[in-house]
Amino acid sequence: MAVKFCSLSSGSSGNCQYIETKSTRLIIDAGFSGKRIEQLLKEIDVDPRTLDGILVTHEHIDHSKGVGILSRRYGIPVFANEKTWMGMEPIVKQVKTENTRVFISNKNIEIKDVLIHPFNVNHDALEPVGYILFNGDKKLSFLTDTGLVNDSMKAKIRNSHLFFMESNHDIRMLKEGSYPWPLKQRILSPYGHLSNDDAASVLGDVLKGESEVVLLAHLSQDNNIPKLAFDTVRTSLLSQGFDVDNDIRLSLTRRDGISEFYIID
């Protein structure tokens, strides 16, 4: 049984990821206007009315901007923990009671044929989470917006068939760039974002080299370059003995549009 995945966009301007199984259609985050997400879904021939849920990682506007309007317009259930619901209320506004789903982080939830494990990450939000999705024997892990990845988080995402991994910035570009120093400190902190080097290190610890899909995500427009992120991770994995060209499907997501459609079977 195959799982389909497409990144609709990933970056500080907005985030939205699409997952489809035999009987379930989900998006993770809705960080654009409702109109923009409708356009992105149309590009992959998905009717928003067929979505079974919106999974929200945290309340920041680049992850929650379109949550409320999509839920109200199409009757889509929204899944988030209690603190995230509190934090995104000014952005999301009113969601119907029957579409308000509150979960407890680190406890599994089910949506039709998908088992979902929301797990805590380190970011300057109220209670941010990453997601691990299971469908049959397939496992997809989504880990962005975190300043560190500890051993517990690595253990959770290990043995995945798809890794959606933050590779936000190049450390040198960030330090030498135009951002004010407090913002640089925030990004570099344990509650900020993973660098290209961080992504490479984490992937080196969790990959097996068994045809896993690895998608580098949430790249900064100002402090990263797609080729630099790709080459940094690729070179690091090669140095650790991985055959990147044959045993790993390494690629990038886009900040401003859909990426390749992946079928995990």
Side-chain angles (χ1 to χ4, degrees), residues 134-195:
F134 299 89
N135 174 252
D137 63 350
K138 303 307 177 188
K139 178 179 180 180
L140 291 73
S141 291
F142 298 84
L143 180 55
T144 66
D145 296 82
T146 187
L148 61 81
V149 180
N150 58 30
D151 289 341
S152 173
M153 294 157 70
K154 290 177 187 176
K156 286 178 182 287
I157 67 173
R158 196 168 276 123
N159 299 316
S160 295
H161 298 88
L162 181 145
F163 293 89
F164 187 84
M165 176 66 62
E166 178 169 59
S167 190
N168 176 257
H169 59 276
D170 174 77
I171 296 174
R172 180 175 177 178
M173 284 185 68
L174 175 62
K175 288 183 174 180
E176 296 179 357
S178 61
Y179 280 14
W181 179 240
L183 180 55
K184 293 179 181 180
Q185 287 181 305
R186 170 192 171 259
I187 294 169
L188 292 165
S189 79
Y191 296 94
H193 292 276
L194 297 180
S195 68

